[in-house]
Amino acid sequence: MTEQKTETALSSDPTEVRRQKLDQLRKTIGDVYPAHFHRTLTNAEFAEKYAGLEPDQESEDIVTVAGRVYSSRNSGMFMDIHDASGKIQIFSHKDTTPEEARALLPMIDLGDIIGVKGQVRRTKRGELTINAHEITMLTKTLLPMPEKYHGLADIELRYRKRHLDILTNEDSKLRFQQRSKIVSGIRRFMEGEGFLEVETPMLQTIYGGATADPFKTFHNTLKMDMYLRIAPELYLKRTLVSGLSDKVFEINRNFRNEGVSTRHNPEFTMMECYWAYADYEDIMGLVERLFEGLAVSIHGTPDVTFGDKQISFKGPFKRVPMPDAVKDVTGIDFLAIKTDEEARAAAKAAGFEVEKDWTWGECLAFIFEEKVEGTLIQPSHVTHFPKDISPFAKEVPGEPRLVERFETYCNAWEVGNAFSELNDPEEQRRRMVEQLEQAHARGEKDKQLDDEFLDAIDQGMPPAGGLGIGVDRLIMLLTNAPSIRDVILFPARRNKAD
RNA sequence: GAGAGCGUAGCUCAGCCGGUAGAGCAACUGACUUUUAAUCAGUAGGUCAUGGGUUCGAAUCCCAUCGCUCUCACCA
């Protein structure tokens, strides 16, 4: 005997057998990917509409639904089909389903997308079900579904083949639905506060507004280097100068050519806003209203579980000046230290390794990051940052080494950064030139002074509070996601040939 | 960039003090037919990430490469 297959025998290779079934279907029913099919309700609408149907009861109603086949029992007599909203059980029995429809059953594989028209009932066991009268093949699949019980567990495949992850992992699906809800919630909140959404360049000729390595590209027709933005800050401030609105915001991607980690993706979503005639304390209130409102909208309460921690987004958040926080933890009173040299000596005496050229402010910020940041689990505003590391913030009156800046920390992560925005044109120019010199000293030779921005500030920017929110991290906190890759649909990966 | 760990069937995982590859799900053939991770019997499916090395013999030990994960560094 040869190993040749007979006419009817199908291959046991899962993808090959699907191709064979597809060929057979093309011969018997024609169009396997029909363009027109309309359901009368979604699976969730179906479940809601017939929630009152008692077990072992039938409805007179005939409905049309559609979905992907997730489960098949008793040789296809029972099938579960899922659409994005939920699942429905389909029943095909010789007493209720015409021969023509049942003939399709052997051709249906797990993962195929079908449409079903039939009568509504609830089974004796309480499962809402449709007695199929017509079954329509809407999409024949060529690849098998991942294992039905465990779903797709391989972390690499979950990121590379996100469609399979969401198709089989309910928690992943929910998380991305929540992401969408959070982003639109931010937008609604900001609009409700009177902010106008604007869009500023992501492709920039001069990058600025933050300290980070950019992605560099080239515009062929203009014949010039361009950069993907590391921050929208300078353009949003130019918008504020314009008087288009006293309150502007933008939700969009920033790109930073730096390390990748569970909290860093090279492209990430930032919400940045500027509020004229407000200051950084007004912004603190804005952050608190935003965070608390989002937590409540997702969880129904400001109290959120993250891993083994309980986090309360109930405002107002704890507020602590950075020098006080450092003093509390290490005993070092930076406000009493006068010079950079003394600051380095004090840090060294406390066991910190400091660089020779560090300033007072750099020492303070370093010790804060080493000793305090990790303790900030509950949402907290850390205020009074050193001026040397804050080129866009106004001085604290009477304390020229500190600025009106705060960062909001939660679960030891920076999730927000805000200032009373510097609008003194001469001071702004001085600080940006200083930053530029430092950048060049570090070998960052692409960094340029943004004269168009400075020119706009010369025109007069109203006093304003500004804020940046790391949207992905906020979503992680609100959806209990341990990695930023769990909240970004298609996180950055190395290329890999399949 | 550094360190640690992982990579076995389409999917979820065993096997790893060296002796030539296993289960469940999915698939196929059939049985059964009001099931709920349906059940029962049978069949097929693997260059054990890739390339070298040690050995009579390597999924297993060693080296390199690729990919991933975690930690650290970088990231105001």
Side-chain angles (χ1 to χ4, degrees):
Chain A
M1 277 307 276
T2 65
E3 295 299 309
Q4 254 182 351
K5 295 172 192 102
T6 66
E7 276 296 303
T8 48
L10 291 162
S11 164
S12 62
D13 173 54
T15 60
E16 185 51 34
V17 71
R18 281 159 194 259
R19 285 181 200 283
Q20 293 174 3
K21 286 178 180 173
L22 174 58
D23 286 344
Q24 288 190 21
L25 284 168
R26 287 201 152 115
K27 286 179 195 139
T28 54
I29 65 173
D31 192 356
V32 186
Y33 302 93
H36 308 290
F37 183 87
H38 298 288
R39 52 184 177 173
T40 53
L41 27 60
T42 68
N43 294 0
E45 288 165 351
F46 175 82
E48 196 187 337
K49 182 169 180 184
Y50 297 102
L53 200 61
E54 297 292 329
D56 209 18
Q57 261 196 345
E58 282 190 6
S59 162
E60 298 288 299
D61 295 359
I62 304 293
V63 298
T64 304
V65 298
R68 190 185 290 271
V69 179
Y70 270 63
S71 171
S72 172
R73 299 176 290 280
N74 299 48
S75 306
M77 185 164 69
F78 292 94
M79 285 185 289
D80 292 339
I81 65 170
H82 292 222
D83 69 6
S85 72
K87 81 161 192 183
I88 294 183
Q89 179 167 269
I90 305 299
F91 180 66
S92 306
H93 191 271
K94 59 179 184 294
D95 295 345
T96 48
T97 304
E99 175 58 33
E100 192 191 343
R102 280 188 297 124
L104 194 61
L105 293 180
M107 293 293 107
I108 297 176
D109 288 303
L110 296 187
D112 289 351
I113 300 170
I114 61 172
V116 177
K117 184 177 181 182
Q119 187 183 1
V120 180
R121 72 177 173 104
R122 194 182 287 279
T123 65
K124 275 197 276 250
R125 310 268 180 103
E127 190 78 30
L128 206 50
T129 300
I130 293 175
N131 286 349
H133 296 168
E134 294 171 24
I135 299 175
T136 310
M137 178 62 75
L138 298 179
T139 302
K140 183 69 195 162
T141 56
L142 296 179
L143 293 174
M145 290 280 276
E147 204 251 11
K148 64 181 172 184
Y149 188 57
H150 299 91
L152 194 66
D154 183 284
I155 193 89
E156 182 180 355
L157 284 181
R158 291 183 60 183
Y159 296 146
R160 285 194 190 280
K161 304 201 175 200
R162 184 67 91 181
H163 54 287
L164 292 179
D165 174 34
I166 293 173
L167 224 37
T168 58
N169 295 314
E170 204 52 44
D171 55 339
S172 187
K173 178 177 173 182
L174 177 65
R175 190 174 274 144
F176 285 106
Q177 289 172 340
Q178 287 177 330
R179 178 182 176 116
S180 179
K181 202 171 163 186
I182 291 165
V183 172
S184 71
I186 295 171
R187 186 167 275 122
R188 257 199 321 280
F189 171 82
M190 294 304 289
E191 286 174 351
E193 293 272 333
F195 284 81
L196 182 79
E197 183 170 10
V198 298
E199 293 160 287
T200 67
M202 307 236 250
L203 205 50
Q204 303 180 340
T205 52
I206 295 175
Y207 64 95
T211 308
D213 282 334
F215 287 92
K216 188 175 184 178
T217 185
F218 186 78
H219 191 289
N220 292 338
T221 307
L222 296 177
K223 291 189 173 56
M224 64 180 184
D225 290 331
M226 297 196 84
Y227 303 89
L228 297 184
R229 74 175 186 197
I230 57 173
E233 172 149 352
L234 304 187
Y235 283 93
L236 286 172
K237 284 181 173 170
R238 287 163 68 173
T239 307
L240 200 60
V241 170
S242 79
L244 174 69
S245 170
D246 290 336
K247 296 179 171 185
V248 297
F249 79 104
E250 177 166 8
I251 300 175
N252 232 321
R253 231 69 66 78
N254 287 347
F255 303 85
R256 296 187 184 176
N257 204 343
E258 284 165 354
V260 175
S261 80
T262 50
R263 266 148 290 141
H264 302 265
N265 195 61
E267 54 177 315
F268 63 99
T269 301
M270 179 82 104
M271 193 287 284
E272 208 162 299
C273 72
Y274 292 87
W275 179 0
Y277 315 114
D279 59 30
Y280 79 138
E281 292 194 330
D282 297 313
I283 300 287
M284 288 182 211
L286 186 80
V287 170
E288 288 157 6
R289 293 195 296 283
L290 173 63
F291 283 21
E292 183 174 342
L294 289 172
V296 169
S297 78
I298 295 297
H299 298 287
T301 159
D303 301 317
V304 171
T305 301
F306 187 88
D308 54 5
K309 303 181 189 104
Q310 287 297 123
I311 294 172
S312 175
F313 286 100
K314 181 103 189 98
F317 301 164
K318 187 176 114 182
R319 300 178 183 189
V320 57
M322 186 184 287
D324 295 17
V326 167
K327 189 179 172 189
D328 286 348
V329 174
T330 64
I332 306 174
D333 184 2
F334 268 81
L335 294 181
I337 296 174
K338 297 300 171 206
T339 66
D340 295 342
E341 203 174 2
E342 286 176 68
R344 289 193 294 267
K348 219 178 270 180
F352 298 99
E353 287 189 23
V354 297
E355 302 289 335
K356 281 197 290 287
D357 57 343
W358 277 6
T359 62
W360 174 86
E362 284 170 322
C363 292
L364 172 59
F366 177 75
I367 295 173
F368 168 77
E369 284 164 21
E370 289 288 304
K371 287 290 165 188
V372 183
E373 208 176 85
T375 68
L376 301 173
I377 302 305
Q378 297 304 317
S380 313
H381 300 308
V382 176
T383 66
H384 296 73
F385 273 59
K387 184 160 79 178
D388 351 355
I389 58 167
S390 312
F392 298 108
K394 274 182 177 159
E395 281 175 22
V396 173
E399 186 45 87
R401 295 184 298 182
L402 297 173
V403 291
E404 293 197 354
R405 170 182 181 180
F406 72 89
E407 286 190 351
T408 304
Y409 284 86
C410 187
N411 194 42
W413 306 339
E414 177 198 341
V415 287
N417 184 17
F419 332 124
S420 295
E421 299 293 341
L422 183 60
N423 66 340
D424 174 337
E426 293 178 336
E427 171 74 4
Q428 181 67 85
R429 180 175 292 273
R430 261 199 305 281
R431 292 219 219 150
M432 282 179 76
V433 167
E434 195 178 309
Q435 290 287 311
L436 185 69
E437 283 164 357
Q438 288 171 8
H440 287 170
R442 282 196 304 272
E444 206 185 315
K445 57 185 189 304
D446 282 352
K447 186 93 178 165
Q448 295 176 56
L449 195 64
D450 192 335
D451 281 313
E452 291 185 346
F453 166 72
L454 288 168
D455 181 66
I457 299 301
D458 284 348
Q459 200 68 56
M461 184 177 82
L467 166 70
I469 296 287
V471 173
D472 307 280
R473 286 185 187 172
L474 181 58
I475 293 168
M476 289 169 70
L477 290 169
L478 291 173
T479 64
N480 194 16
S483 168
I484 197 168
R485 292 185 282 266
D486 296 325
V487 301
I488 292 176
L489 272 174
F490 302 101
R493 303 278 83 187
R494 276 200 180 84
N495 254 335
K496 188 185 178 188
D498 275 314

